[in-house]
Amino acid sequence: MKALLERYRDLLARDDESFPITLGEGGTPLIHARRLGAEMGLERLHLKFEGMNPTGSFKDRGMVLAVNRAVAGGARAIVCASTGNTSASAAAYAAAAGLPCHVILPAGKVARGKLAQALAAGARLIMVDGNFDAALSAVRRLGDEGVAVVVNSTNPDRLVGQQTGAFEIVDALGKAPDALALPVGNAGNITAYWQGFGRYADAGHTPDAKLPRMLGFQAEGAAPIVRGEPIEAPETVATAIRIGNPASWHGAVAARDQSGGLIETVTDDEILEAQRMVVQLEGVFCEPASAAGVAGVRRLAADRRIGPSEVVVCVLTGHGLKDPDVVQAEEGSLTPIPPGFAAIRDAMGL
Ligand SMILES: *Cc1c(COP(=O)(O)O)cnc(C)c1O
């Protein structure tokens, strides 16, 4: 398959622009979730599994464009603040580009797999004793002062690249879905998807030019947009959306209001339950934040706010392997037993 940025070149590229750096991002599967859908009473539920991107999250769609342009613009280094996946992605694309990558991350709040990815790729990590929002404001200033190119979603190339998720969904379904559900953290992705659906329709690539309702979900302990004010100390098991003052707040509100959609909260228990359901009914292992959209759709379907035959796509934003610590073994299941056939057969309970 052609590289992502080449595939949608007509909508993304400036004149004669070339994109030498690619890790094979995009082209992720859209999976018809038959068993999960049946459980929720939805016949046409689909999962867009963004965990299949090169670094295991949708961040690669925008990072590839941001890093290609940073290189073309003569950047000396790139920098980001990150709850994890942005740093994993930035570190990988910086390595491929031969650029130093600096990551400012909030102390103690990053999933293990993501940290390993950034370290392995040689990013320089600076941990700060503060939350994500504090880290991002320092990064913005580094960008303003020309120290390094910022590759957070405040970089417009990030959101432009992320629009490709919407393009791919329309291509796969042959039309836009009735509703698109996703987690909302810094709110860049909901903004990018909405702009992407609009752009694809305007360009004549979406049959009947229909647009989906945008359904965004924040964790209850980190829901500034739902509450209507920044949250000082956001708290949730879904670390990728543990954000108290989203950079793309206005974009998210525009996506919600223009699409006739909504942004609501889900609890951490609902998120973890949805994560389990997705992997145990569909075999697709996503990280907790990714399951927020599924948890939200589950509630809306139960409340009949989504109809049984509507085409619904949940964006599973990142891979479950990034955050293995949230998966707990059943009581006693990892206590060794004698290795004989009889004992093993007995333990199987069959
Ligand atoms: C970044 C991220 C989010 C949040 O996306 P925003 O664009 O910040 O709203 C959700 N899930 C995962 C896995 C992420 O990496």
Side-chain angles (χ1 to χ4, degrees):
M1 200 192 292
K2 256 204 213 170
L4 179 70
L5 297 182
E6 291 299 340
R7 219 159 6 106
Y8 297 111
R9 190 180 173 83
D10 59 325
L11 292 167
L12 303 174
R14 299 170 180 154
D15 296 342
D16 298 331
E17 189 174 21
S18 67
F19 301 117
I21 299 152
T22 174
L23 298 178
E25 54 289 326
T28 57
L30 186 69
I31 300 158
H32 184 188
R34 290 182 176 80
R35 297 186 70 218
L36 180 66
E39 188 72 28
M40 296 187 191
L42 297 175
E43 293 151 28
R44 295 150 89 191
L45 177 67
H46 294 77
L47 306 172
K48 179 69 169 163
F49 188 30
E50 291 292 285
M52 294 300 282
N53 276 294
T55 77
S57 85
F58 74 84
K59 299 297 198 296
D60 295 340
R61 293 181 181 277
M63 197 61 69
V64 66
L65 186 59
V67 171
N68 270 291
R69 287 194 173 150
V71 170
R76 282 184 297 155
I78 63 173
V79 64
C80 63
S82 178
T83 58
N85 282 331
T86 296
S87 61
S89 184
Y93 284 89
L99 274 181
C101 174
H102 298 264
V103 175
I104 320 296
L105 77 172
K109 317 289 194 209
V110 177
R112 200 150 48 91
K114 304 176 189 180
L115 196 58
Q117 287 180 288
L119 285 169
R124 297 168 203 176
L125 301 186
I126 299 166
M127 195 166 265
V128 296
D129 193 8
N131 62 19
F132 173 80
D133 307 287
L136 183 58
S137 70
V139 161
R140 282 177 142 159
R141 179 139 174 219
L142 290 166
D144 291 343
E145 296 185 1
V147 178
V149 172
V150 178
V151 296
N152 278 104
S153 58
T154 50
N155 178 329
D157 297 328
R158 281 276 314 279
L159 297 197
V160 171
Q162 285 173 211
Q163 292 179 7
T164 58
F167 306 163
E168 287 182 5
I169 288 171
V170 173
D171 287 347
L173 294 173
K175 61 177 184 178
D178 296 308
L180 183 99
L182 76 180
V184 174
N186 223 7
N189 211 29
I190 190 171
T191 302
Y193 264 95
W194 178 239
Q195 290 172 348
F197 283 117
R199 232 158 134 212
Y200 219 50
D202 288 347
H205 296 315
T206 308
D208 77 18
K210 201 179 65 90
L211 302 173
R213 301 200 300 287
M214 301 295 291
L215 313 176
F217 296 93
Q218 300 196 291
E220 194 165 78
I225 297 174
V226 178
R227 311 262 179 256
E229 59 185 12
I231 306 290
E232 196 58 44
E235 203 41 74
T236 170
V237 67
T239 52
I241 53 172
R242 186 178 188 162
I243 288 172
N245 191 10
S248 298
W249 191 315
H250 295 294
V253 169
R256 177 192 69 193
D257 295 346
Q258 292 168 11
S259 74
L262 54 83
I263 299 178
E264 296 188 355
T265 63
V266 287
T267 66
D268 278 7
D269 283 348
E270 289 175 313
I271 288 172
L272 293 174
E273 172 76 8
Q275 182 192 26
R276 261 193 310 275
M277 288 175 74
V278 172
V279 66
Q280 295 187 2
L281 294 172
E282 299 296 339
V284 176
F285 187 28
C286 68
E287 68 173 279
S290 307
V294 176
V297 163
R298 185 179 178 210
R299 163 128 47 81
L300 295 179
D303 293 348
R304 295 272 168 189
R305 293 162 73 197
I306 298 179
S309 58
E310 287 197 83
V311 177
V312 180
V313 173
C314 293
V315 182
L316 301 183
T317 47
H319 205 291
L321 288 174
K322 285 173 171 281
D323 197 358
D325 298 329
V326 300
V327 182
Q328 302 296 333
E330 269 178 57
E331 189 84 38
S333 68
L334 294 181
T335 309
I337 58 164
F341 172 80
I344 291 172
R345 174 149 191 173
D346 193 45
M348 289 171 76
L350 293 177

